Amino acid sequence: MIMLYATPRSGNAHKVRLALAFLGLSWEEQPTDAAARQSAAFAAINPMRQIPLYVEGDRTLRDSQAILAYLAARHRPGDWDGRTPEERGEIALWLSHAANEIANGPATLRLARQFGTPIAEEHAQAVTARFLPVIEARLAAHRWLVGDRLTIADLAASPYLALAGEADIDLADWPAIGEWTSRIAALPGFPAMPGWPAQIAS
């Protein structure tokens, strides 16, 4: 049985939920709030004290991008993690954007707006302003970030952009991003998340 340590509003955890749901896998979810993450029991299985944490038998994986890479290689090799060296390189690029520009821009702004977390506001705004035009341009020309299908690039990059409204970012200003996140929400098996608009893309 797969166990996912998570919280309902974690975009990073939702990346893993998306993968598990689209793969048709069953999992149990262990609610793991900030207090639980500071416990000795949790630190024993994840010394970084972060979520998501993926446990399957004796295998434990932390970091959402790493978990996505594992699930793709195990269950959807090539299709989700790249069929060619060029696709694999592009997917790695978007995983890096998810862990850097998206995390330090839109996701950080959401932390401040929704959870009152102190942030470097000017820096987060600057990162967001630099990155959004890049991904908007990509999605204006392509239905998916890499290739002609959903890959882990889309799973890694989409949650915090779908939740942009909670960061006071109006996706009406970024229509290609909004259509893409709606396209993902329209896929069979999509697991709903608070704050992710579930409208169906045209």
Side-chain angles (χ1 to χ4, degrees):
M1 172 60 70
I2 296 168
M3 179 69 72
L4 179 64
Y5 292 78
T7 59
R9 298 187 66 193
S10 166
N12 284 324
H14 205 65
K15 299 174 188 182
V16 181
R17 288 191 200 99
L18 289 170
L20 294 172
F22 292 153
L23 289 169
L25 299 175
S26 298
W27 76 95
E28 292 184 5
E29 197 153 318
Q30 178 64 48
T32 312
D33 62 14
R37 295 196 293 274
Q38 297 308 309
S39 70
F42 187 75
I45 55 175
N46 184 2
M48 293 300 292
R49 301 175 187 262
Q50 295 171 335
I51 55 170
L53 177 67
Y54 176 97
V55 178
E56 183 180 6
D58 60 359
R59 180 177 303 279
T60 300
L61 278 174
R62 56 182 169 83
D63 185 86
S64 57
Q65 275 67 245
I67 298 167
L68 291 178
Y70 164 76
L71 290 171
R74 180 168 183 184
H75 297 283
R76 204 67 65 86
D79 195 32
W80 270 17
D81 55 5
R83 295 170 178 162
T84 65
E86 291 76 15
E87 282 192 351
R88 288 192 288 273
E90 289 182 27
I91 288 169
L93 171 68
W94 291 105
L95 294 183
S96 178
H97 280 316
N100 289 285
E101 286 79 10
I102 294 175
N104 293 311
T108 293
L109 292 174
R110 177 176 176 263
L111 275 176
R113 306 298 186 268
Q114 299 299 310
F115 305 103
T117 305
I119 66 168
E121 176 78 23
E122 186 174 340
H123 176 71
Q125 292 283 6
V127 171
T128 300
R130 185 171 66 248
F131 177 72
L132 288 183
V134 173
I135 191 168
E136 174 73 12
R138 176 68 182 178
L139 291 167
H142 302 83
R143 285 180 60 82
W144 306 105
L145 286 176
V146 178
D148 59 357
R149 65 202 182 278
L150 180 84
T151 69
I152 57 172
D154 303 286
L155 302 182
S158 58
Y160 286 113
L161 296 178
L163 299 168
E166 295 190 341
D168 292 339
I169 298 167
D170 188 352
L171 284 186
D173 297 330
W174 308 99
I177 295 174
E179 290 171 7
W180 167 66
T181 60
S182 292
R183 192 174 300 126
I184 294 170
L187 293 172
F190 173 79
M193 180 182 186
W196 185 318
Q199 70 268 25
I200 306 302
S202 59

